[in-house]
């Protein structure tokens, strides 16, 4: 995957200590990853980059909203995003990202690209089941919800006994014996 230059941090020129980076993430960012689950995105990333003599510590904080479709009604709504990630970067013989909290990069590296970590931070902050807030509190009026309510098992009225197959009555007698 092609790296986006805006998300590359050249740490070789940075002094020891803490450095602050800010990113505004929108639809263009997710188009780069070919991720189309969001209708729109407006997420702010605050990155605290702490350079130490033998390692670096990155603290990502994401806050904002992504517009997604409700899993029940398919109505679009803004899902708030609040998430954070802590990452330690150390130097070693070869690149290794097996551990999700530790990244080992070769000794000769002079920059780090954080786009993949930002992508994962935002995508994983969205709940697995996306439910419109209006569905939970009952304020959303939708044709889909009306139809679901009409077809739900709890709302079916019991009909007269004549349209019940008489064979079921024989089975009910087994329970009474």
């Amino acid at each position: 995957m092609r790296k986006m230059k805006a998300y590359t941090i050249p740490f070789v020129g940075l002094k020891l200590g803490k450095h602050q980076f800010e990113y505004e993430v929108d639809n263009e960012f997710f188009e780069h990853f070919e991720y189309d689950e969001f209708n729109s995105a407006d997420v702010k990333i605050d990155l605290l980059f702490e350079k130490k003599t033998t390692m670096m510590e990155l603290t990502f904080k994401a806050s904002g909203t992504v517009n997604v479709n409700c899993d029940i009604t398919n109505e679009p709504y803004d899902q708030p995003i609040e998430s954070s990630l802590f990452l330690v970067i150390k130097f070693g013989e070869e690149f290794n990202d097996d551990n999700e909290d530790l990244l080992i990069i070769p000794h000769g590296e002079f920059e780090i690209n954080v786009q993949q970590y930002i992508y994962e931070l935002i995508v994983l902050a969205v709940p697995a089941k996306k439910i419109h807030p209006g569905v939970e509190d009952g304020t959303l009026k939708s044709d889909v919800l009306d139809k679901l309510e009409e077809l739900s098992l709890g709302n079916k009225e019991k009909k007269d006994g004549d349209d019940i197959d008489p064979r079921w009555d024989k089975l009910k007698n087994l329970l009474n014996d």
Side-chain angles (χ1 to χ4, degrees), residues 98 124 170 172:
D98 292 343
L124 293 175
K170 295 281 185 203
K172 285 181 186 174

Side-chain angles (χ1 to χ4, degrees), residues 61-132:
K61 289 190 179 171
S63 61
T65 59
V66 292
N67 189 282
V68 294
N69 290 336
C70 174
D71 288 338
I72 296 174
T73 64
N74 207 31
E75 296 282 331
Y77 75 99
D78 286 336
Q79 174 70 46
I81 298 290
E82 291 290 329
S83 188
S84 63
L85 171 71
F86 182 73
L87 178 68
V88 175
I89 300 175
K90 291 190 175 189
F91 294 96
E93 295 299 319
E94 60 185 32
F95 182 85
N96 184 346
D97 63 351
D98 292 343
N99 188 333
E100 61 189 38
D101 298 328
L102 175 67
L103 174 65
I104 299 174
I105 58 176
H107 288 289
E109 286 292 320
F110 60 92
E111 64 186 14
I112 183 76
N113 188 288
V114 294
Q115 71 185 18
Q116 184 67 33
Y117 297 103
I118 292 172
Y119 169 76
E120 291 174 6
L121 177 68
I122 295 170
V123 169
L124 293 175
V126 177
K129 188 169 185 178
K130 301 174 288 284
I131 300 175
H132 192 291

Side-chain angles (χ1 to χ4, degrees), residues 5-175:
K5 189 173 183 173
Y7 298 94
T8 300
I9 301 172
F11 56 81
V12 124
L14 296 177
K15 296 179 181 176
L16 293 180
K18 296 181 180 182
H19 305 277
Q20 191 75 31
F21 296 92
E22 291 183 359
Y23 300 101
E24 294 289 331
V25 177
D26 57 8
N27 282 1
E28 186 178 321
F29 179 82
F30 292 103
E31 287 170 4
H32 176 77
F33 287 93
E34 298 177 4
Y35 186 78
D36 58 0
E37 294 290 315
F38 300 153
N39 300 327
S40 65
D42 181 24
V43 181
K44 182 181 177 192
I45 305 292
D46 290 319
L47 171 59
L48 179 64
F49 186 97
E50 187 172 358
K51 184 176 179 183
K52 299 182 177 181
T53 53
T54 60
M55 66 179 187
M56 295 168 281
E57 294 178 347
L58 283 71
T59 306
F60 297 87
K61 289 190 179 171
S63 61
T65 59
V66 292
N67 189 282
V68 294
N69 290 336
C70 174
D71 288 338
I72 296 174
T73 64
N74 207 31
E75 296 282 331
Y77 75 99
D78 286 336
Q79 174 70 46
I81 298 290
E82 291 290 329
S83 188
S84 63
L85 171 71
F86 182 73
L87 178 68
V88 175
I89 300 175
K90 291 190 175 189
F91 294 96
E93 295 299 319
E94 60 185 32
F95 182 85
N96 184 346
D97 63 351
D98 292 343
N99 188 333
E100 61 189 38
D101 298 328
L102 175 67
L103 174 65
I104 299 174
I105 58 176
H107 288 289
E109 286 292 320
F110 60 92
E111 64 186 14
I112 183 76
N113 188 288
V114 294
Q115 71 185 18
Q116 184 67 33
Y117 297 103
I118 292 172
Y119 169 76
E120 291 174 6
L121 177 68
I122 295 170
V123 169
L124 293 175
V126 177
K129 188 169 185 178
K130 301 174 288 284
I131 300 175
H132 192 291
V135 172
E136 292 176 337
D137 63 16
T139 59
L140 180 68
K141 298 297 177 205
S142 167
D143 294 338
V144 174
L145 284 178
D146 294 341
K147 193 66 175 173
L148 282 172
E149 188 68 29
E150 178 186 317
L151 296 175
S152 71
L153 292 176
N155 277 350
K156 288 198 174 185
E157 297 171 4
K158 295 208 174 185
K159 308 233 167 136
D160 295 323
D162 10 300
D163 55 351
I164 296 177
D165 191 340
R167 292 175 288 183
W168 289 111
D169 290 334
K170 295 281 185 203
L171 290 173
K172 285 181 186 174
N173 289 338
L174 291 175
L175 290 175

